[in-house]
Every structure is written in C-alpha cells, then in structure tokens.
C-alpha cells in the first residue's frame, strides 16, 4: 500500500508548484565532472529570486556510478570494477566526489528556499543514452546485472541524502522508458517496482515520482498509466506539443496546445487515481514561436493546470545551452535555446510570466485551490487511439461548458450524470458486463453517449432506437446537419458508413443529401434520402446518444478543429444539455473554459480562461439568485455589469459567484 503524503507540496490536493528542470548554466550534463560550485550557487540564487520554487535535478548515472566491466577471452564478462579498482565488499560503486557535489546542491537549495525533485536513474537525457560503461551492452531495464546495480545505487543515494530537507521527492529517473525496450507490461511493472521499492526501503517519508512520459491506459503500451499509478505516488507528463501525437497541428498559443498539458495530466491522474504533475514542458526554442508567444502560451497553461487540479509546472529547462559544444547539444537542435534564462543570465519573458503567476495566486491566498467540480466521465476503451479520443473529448467538453474526468472500461464505473464513450473502435472494445452497467445507469436516469469508429457493440439496436440497414466503405468525407446546429454543417469522415433507419430513436443530425451525376451519361440522379447519423433515445429514466462517426479521433487529426469558428463542440453541448441547464453559470464562448472552486464561506471561485491567441468577449448567463464579480490582482471585487467580461489573449480571470438569495441552491451538475 502506498503511503499518503498530505503535507507534501507535490501531492497535497489543490496545491500548485512552479519550477524548472536544472542543469548548471556553464556545463549542462557535464556539470558533475566540470564542477563549479560558485556557478551553481549563482544559478540557484537567480532562479529563486525570479519566483522558481522547485528544481528537478539529475545525478547523471555514469558520473555517480562509474562501473566498468573487465572482459576475458572471446569477450566473456569477467569482473565488475570501479575504474581499474576492485570493488570492496558491499560497495554500491558510487563516486564520492560526485556525491559531495550533490550535497552542495542540496544545501544551497535549502539556503535559497528551493525544493528539489531528484531524478535518480538518469540514464536518458536530451536524446542521448547515459549508462555506466559496464552496462552499455545490456538492456538496463531487464538485465539482472544492470538492475542489481541500479538498486544498489538508488539505495545508497537515498540513504545518504534522505535527511536533507530541500529534497521533497524521489523521481525514478528521467524518462526511463527510453533507456531500453520491454516486451510486456509485466517487464515494465517489474522495473518500476524494483526502483520504487529500493527508494522506499531507505526513505518512506517522501513521495516517489514516476518521471515517465508517453504512458497509455490499455493494451497499446507496455508502460501503462495504471501500473505507474499503482507503484508511484505522483505521475508525470512531459507535454511537448511537437512530440505528442495530435498536438503539433495548430499554433502553440491556440486551444489545442494550450489545453494539451491539462488534458494529458487529467487523463493520467484520473485513470491512475494518483496526482499528476506537468514535469517537463516548454516551447523548445525560437523555431517554434517567438518569446512573446512563448510567454502567452505559458500563461494560459499555468492558469489551466492550476484551475484543473494538476499539481504544478516545471519548465524545460533553466538555462540556454547553445554555448555547449558536446553531445547532445552539438547534435540535437531541440536542446540549445530552451531555457528560462539566456547563457548571459538575461531573463526571458517566459520566466517573468511564471513569476507573475506565482505572485498572483499567493497574494490572493489561492495557492491551494479546492478541485473543480466535474460533471461527466469520459471512459476510454480497448482497440482505440485512447490519447486522441481523450484529448478531443477534453477540449470539446471545455468548449461546450462542462468539465469531465477520465476512467477506463475495466475499472469500477464511477457515479456520474453523463457517461461519454468517445470513438469506440472494433469488436473487442469492452465486455458485455460493462455495457450492461452503462445501460443500467441510463435506466436510472444517466445520459450515455457513444461515438463509433466502426465499432461492433452488441446488443445495441433495440437500446439505441435504430437499426443498421447496410455497412459500406466511404470514399469521401460528408457533411452533417441538424436542428441543434442551426444553419451550420459539420464535415465528418470515417472509413465506414452505416445506413441507418430509426425506430424508437430521434435523428438529431443527418448526412446532407448529395446530388450526383451518372459517371458516363452525366444525367442528374435523384438526391439520396437523408441518412441519420446522430440519434437520441429515451431509455428508462435516462437518455442514450449514438453518433455513427468517430468524432474525437477524427478531430484529433484535423487542423483547426477547435478554433473559434468551429462548431463541433455543439454535439457535446447537445449531449450535456441537462447538465448545462443546472450549472449556476453558463458561458457562450467556446474559446473560454471555466472551472468552479468552492470557498469555506459558501462563495465559489470561478476561473475563466481564454485558451485562444485573440482577446475574447464572454457573456455569462448567471442563474437567478446569484451575483458574479471579478477579482482583481489587488484582491478587490467588482460586480460585472450585464455579466459580460473581456479577457485578453491567452489569459485567465478570477470571478466570484455569490448567492444574492440564501434560498438559491448552488448546483454544479
């Protein structure tokens, strides 16, 4: 059983930390060999003075455990040594000079009020593998010899530094799933269990941080969100848009990317049942955007992570490294101008923005924020692009005006008013037992939404109120229209088309009639009958919705799918209409997302975030019996006339919802 750390800054509910990943400004990954204590102290003092509170630091594995293998005839491994020296009994093979350097960092961090997250097995860094020479021929995640010495190193390191107060967490390492291949989830589980257990043997007073990236919940990955949640106390995302599928399609300061970190952290947190931190994040230099836009981007991301109970943001990384002429910096263009501070110690706008945000939430007494209310559950399933489905669902829900959490089909089904199953795919997506549970929820009054990526759900025709006449391949995209879309049409595409006849269900949207001409004669052909594609059915006390397109994974791959003119979110607004009616505040602008946070005095903080690169005007509909005011940076509250507010590009504002009538119930759906 995992230990709870309620007072730890990284795992306390609602707490939010701001920091960065750190390599010394003069040497990058060579800092332990090219040691300059005075430079390190100057770095830490500068970072602390600019508002950084947490550093993630890296004892580079081969520098701290410089083991070599002696080989005999025919290349047979003979003896493990520390350089040329025979290892003494019970040795961990650790370099004491490097340990002394780390001791200096831990003491200096405490001196300047900084906290440290320590990435223990740093065998992968900035696109280059770093392992002790003895293990260069081995798979360090599965080989018994390499694993034995990793455990010895981790235990030795943690035992020596567990009494240093600046250290607030032990990280397994940096993206250790890049160190080697594992051929099964069980192999990944075994490595994670070995390192996390080694940490806890020596120190069970601090949380263990996963340090991984690119996790998934199901059979599509050996590194599973659920396993990391089982074995560690804090999960991590490294949400770089240019490396994460489906993210690098729109500008970095638009809603697809400004919501990326939040959506990924929320997926990890909810499915694992474990807090999650955006542990590495950045724009990776001037090739992707200029410094003004980078600052706009980080302002939005800070507001979004904070408002959605993601536990912090650590920028990658502290200092530019363009002056370093060795690998990986002389080879990897992503690793040069990505710091908060230039190599001449000049501060960049991103760091200024991070400092402003920290001061804002601290001055208002909101550094710890009660988690937002969530009105729906998004359930991911097997045989699908789970990240694409989750990502689009999260963005569409924000645009529609409600908040959702994630679950996986093989977990206990949480209580909710709305269950959303996006882009269900194939014939083995979930069990009939799970499907029966969903139908039972609908009978009891819940709403259940399915969108289909050529899925085979059975039974379903009677329940969903329609029958499938035929199934065929599509050659071209189509457009759909419906009353809830008003005069808008939506382009959708999928590999297969279902020709549908409604029975007890109501067609909310149909494919547009298409006039075609015969291929040879070019004679007009009668328009086709409208084909229902979005069906609503009353089911017991609840409602079932079925969309015969894979809306979410389609939009994940569509450039501009979530921009201010796009209307795809209206499908989600329709599905969630019963929830939206009872929320105390509704927002008419899909570029603005809102969260609700109760206060002890009965009021509610509302965080309204403009996820777009353009100033936005929002008109809020406030239920009778409530007043809405804006909170300014100095703590003043001002009532909003006509419930209208302007929010500048990539910014957030704080509102307070107050009961004007003590009899008015506050309902979040």
């Amino acid at each position: 059983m995992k230990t709870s750390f309620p007072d730890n800054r990284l795992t306390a509910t609602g707490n939010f930390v701001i920091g960065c990943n750190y390599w010394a400004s003069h040497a990058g990954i060579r800092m332990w060999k090219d040691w300059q204590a005075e430079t390190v102290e100057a770095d830490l003092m500068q970072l602390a003075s600019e508002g950084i509170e947490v550093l993630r630091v890296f004892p580079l594995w081969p520098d701290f455990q410089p083991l070599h293998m002696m080989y005999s005839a025919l290349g047979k491994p003979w003896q493990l040594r520390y350089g040329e020296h025979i290892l003494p009994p019970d040795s961990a093979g650790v370099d004491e000079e490097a340990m002394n350097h780390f001791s200096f960092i831990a003491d200096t961090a405490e001196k300047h009020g900084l906290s440290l997250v320590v990435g223990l097995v740093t065998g992968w860094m900035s696109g280059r593998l770093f392992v002790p020479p003895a293990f260069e021929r081995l798979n360090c995640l599965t080989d018994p010899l390499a694993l034995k010495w990793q455990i010895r190193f981790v235990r030795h390191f943690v035992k020596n530094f567990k009494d240093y107060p600046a250290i607030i967490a032990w990280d397994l390492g940096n993206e250790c799933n890049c160190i080697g291949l594992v051929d099964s989830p069980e192999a990944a589980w075994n490595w994670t269990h070995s390192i996390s257990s080694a940490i806890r043997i020596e120190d069970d007073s601090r949380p263990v941080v996963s340090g991984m990236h690119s996790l998934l919940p199901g059979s599509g990955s050996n590194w599973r969100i659920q396993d990391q949640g089982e074995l560690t106390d804090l999960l991590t995302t490294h949400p770089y848009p240019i490396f994460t599928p489906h993210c690098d399609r729109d500008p970095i300061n638009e809603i697809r990317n400004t919501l990326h970190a939040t959506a990924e952290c929320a997926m990890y947190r909810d499915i694992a049942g474990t807090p999650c931190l955006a542990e590495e994040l950045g724009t990776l230099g001037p090739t992707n955007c200029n410094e003004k836009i980078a600052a706009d981007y980080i302002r939005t991301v800070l507001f979004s992570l904070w408002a959605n109970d993601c536990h912090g943001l650590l920028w990658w990384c502290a200092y530019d490294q363009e002056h370093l002429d060795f690998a990986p910096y002389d080879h990897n263009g992503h690793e040069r101008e990505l710091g908060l501070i230039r190599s001449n110690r000049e501060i960049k706008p991103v760091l200024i923005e991070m400092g402003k945000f920290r001061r804002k939430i601290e001055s208002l007494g909101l550094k710890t924020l009660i988690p937002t209310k969530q009105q729906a559950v998004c359930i991911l399933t097997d045989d699908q692009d789970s990240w694409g489905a989750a990502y689009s669902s999260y963005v569409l829900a924000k645009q529609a005006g409600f908040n959702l959490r994630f679950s996986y089909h093989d977990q206990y089904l949480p209580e909710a008013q709305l269950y959303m199953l996006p882009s269900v795919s194939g014939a083995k997506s979930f069990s009939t037992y799970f499907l029966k549970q969903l139908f039972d929820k609908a009978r009891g009054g819940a709403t259940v939404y399915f969108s289909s990526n050529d899925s085979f759900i059975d039974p379903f025709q009677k329940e969903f109120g329609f029958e499938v006449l035929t199934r065929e391949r599509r050659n071209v995209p189509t457009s759909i229209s419906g009353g809830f879309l008003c005069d808008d049409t939506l382009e959708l595409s999928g590999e297969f088309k279902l020709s549908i006849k409604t029975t007890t269900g109501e067609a909310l949207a149909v494919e547009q009639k298409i006039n075609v001409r015969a291929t040879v004669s070019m004679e007009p052909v009668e328009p086709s009958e409208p084909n229902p594609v979005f069906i609503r059915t009353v089911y017991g006390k609840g409602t079932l919705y079925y969309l015969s397109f894979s809306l979410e994974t389609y939009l994940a791959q569509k450039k501009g799918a979530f921009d201010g003119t796009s209307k795809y979110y209206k499908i989600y607004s329709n599905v969630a209409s019963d929830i939206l009616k009872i929320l105390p505040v509704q927002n008419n602008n899909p570029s603005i997302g809102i969260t609700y946070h109760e206060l002890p005095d009965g009021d509610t903080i509302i965080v309204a975030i403009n996820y777009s690169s353009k100033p936005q005007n929002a008109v809020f509909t406030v239920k009778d019996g409530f007043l809405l005011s804006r909170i300014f940076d100095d703590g003043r509250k001002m009532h909003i006339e006509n419930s209208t507010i302007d929010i500048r590009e990539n910014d957030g504002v704080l509102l307070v919802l107050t009961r004007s009538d003590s009899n008015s119930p506050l309902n979040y759906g």
Side-chain angles (χ1 to χ4, degrees), residues 550-585:
S550 178
L551 172 69
E552 294 78 15
T553 53
Y554 169 72
L555 296 183
Q557 301 177 60
K558 180 179 174 64
K559 175 177 169 53
F562 309 110
D563 66 24
T565 62
S566 173
K567 305 299 182 182
Y568 291 100
Y569 73 90
K570 287 191 173 183
I571 294 176
Y572 272 40
S573 299
N574 192 281
V575 169
S577 57
D578 289 342
I579 289 174
L580 296 173
K581 289 175 186 175
I582 61 175
L583 288 175
V585 174

Side-chain angles (χ1 to χ4, degrees), residues 189-243:
W189 190 98
N190 285 335
W191 181 88
T192 305
H193 183 266
S194 297
I195 303 303
S196 60
S197 297
I199 294 168
R200 291 191 174 106
I201 287 172
E202 302 298 342
D203 180 13
D204 63 357
S205 69
R206 293 179 177 88
V208 175
V209 179
S210 168
M212 302 297 174
H213 76 127
S214 298
L215 305 178
L216 290 172
S219 56
S221 173
N222 290 329
W223 295 91
R224 300 176 74 241
I225 292 171
Q226 296 93 320
D227 293 342
Q228 292 295 304
E230 174 189 355
L231 298 171
T232 65
D233 305 297
L234 181 70
L235 268 61
T236 60
T237 61
H238 297 179
Y240 301 101
I242 69 170
F243 297 139

Side-chain angles (χ1 to χ4, degrees), residues 104-125:
F104 177 87
I105 281 191
D107 285 335
T108 305
E110 182 185 6
K111 174 181 173 182
H112 294 291
L114 291 164
S115 299
L116 302 179
V117 176
V118 184
L120 290 165
V121 183
T122 301
W124 167 261
M125 180 55 59

Side-chain angles (χ1 to χ4, degrees), residues 509-545:
V510 296
E511 292 187 70
Q512 295 285 82
K513 295 180 180 180
I514 302 173
N515 283 301
V516 297
R517 291 181 178 273
T519 304
V520 178
S521 67
M522 299 299 291
E523 291 296 322
V525 177
E526 287 299 313
S528 61
E529 287 298 316
N531 181 40
V533 293
F534 187 35
I535 299 106
R536 176 175 61 197
T537 307
V538 175
Y539 190 76
K541 297 179 181 179
T543 309
L544 299 177
Y545 287 84

Side-chain angles (χ1 to χ4, degrees), residues 255 259 395-396 398-401 562-567 569-570 573 587-593 609-612 616-617:
I255 191 168
L259 259 175
V395 178
L396 290 169
K398 284 289 185 189
Q399 292 187 307
F562 309 110
D563 66 24
T565 62
S566 173
K567 305 299 182 182
Y569 73 90
K570 287 191 173 183
S573 299
N587 153 47
N588 73 331
N589 190 325
S591 295
I592 296 172
I609 303 171
N610 177 5
Y611 286 98
S612 83
Q616 297 291 331
N617 175 269

